[in-house]
Amino acid sequence: MLGRRPDNLHHLPRLGFADACRLFGMTPRALRFYEEKGLIEARRDRLNHRYYDGWTRQKLAWISRLRSVSLPLRDIRQVLEADQRSGAGSQLALRKLLARREELARELAAAESLLPSLQEEAA
């Protein structure tokens, strides 16, 4: 459910890299990319293996949900920052998602208006 903060993730024991990939449905490349872009921070154990604390797992949950609806990373970054700053991530995510829906509706309308002429040409 978009907009609910997964507070229960905060109290789980630390989560390893492979388990994070499975839990959030992400590839190792995606996790490294989000770390590289500064959206998440992986901690390292004494063997230099990545692991994720509760706050990072919460961010990964947001990223996973918002990427599933194709929100761009700049919007996801803003949601994460709002969530961390004031707990307003849900409200911002809702506004971003509504704007995305309007954008998609415009794109669909443009495609629908083009279809008849293309179908005519193809026939």
Side-chain angles (χ1 to χ4, degrees), residues 2 24 31 34 37 48 57 75 79-80 117 122:
L2 196 60
F24 297 106
L31 276 179
Y34 298 138
K37 293 297 180 184
N48 204 31
R57 285 193 304 272
D75 290 346
V79 168
L80 295 176
S117 64

Side-chain angles (χ1 to χ4, degrees), residues 117-123:
S117 64
L118 291 176
Q119 288 170 333
E120 219 174 82
E121 289 176 23

Side-chain angles (χ1 to χ4, degrees), residues 102-121:
E102 289 175 16
E103 178 185 334
L104 289 171
R106 285 190 301 274
E107 289 177 21
L108 181 59
E112 291 289 339
S113 69
L114 184 58
L115 275 175
S117 64
L118 291 176
Q119 288 170 333
E120 219 174 82
E121 289 176 23

Side-chain angles (χ1 to χ4, degrees), residues 58-117:
Q58 196 166 326
K59 287 181 175 185
L60 285 168
W62 268 118
I63 293 167
S64 176
R65 292 180 350 198
L66 296 174
R67 287 300 297 152
S68 75
V69 294
S70 301
L71 276 179
L73 287 181
R74 71 178 179 281
D75 290 346
I76 292 172
R77 179 182 303 279
Q78 292 171 357
V79 168
L80 295 176
E81 289 169 355
D83 201 42
Q84 186 169 8
R85 206 174 35 251
S86 63
S90 297
Q91 294 87 352
L92 183 56
L94 178 60
R95 288 195 307 272
K96 297 284 186 185
L97 189 55
L98 290 171
R100 178 75 176 130
R101 183 173 67 177
E102 289 175 16
E103 178 185 334
L104 289 171
R106 285 190 301 274
E107 289 177 21
L108 181 59
E112 291 289 339
S113 69
L114 184 58
L115 275 175
S117 64

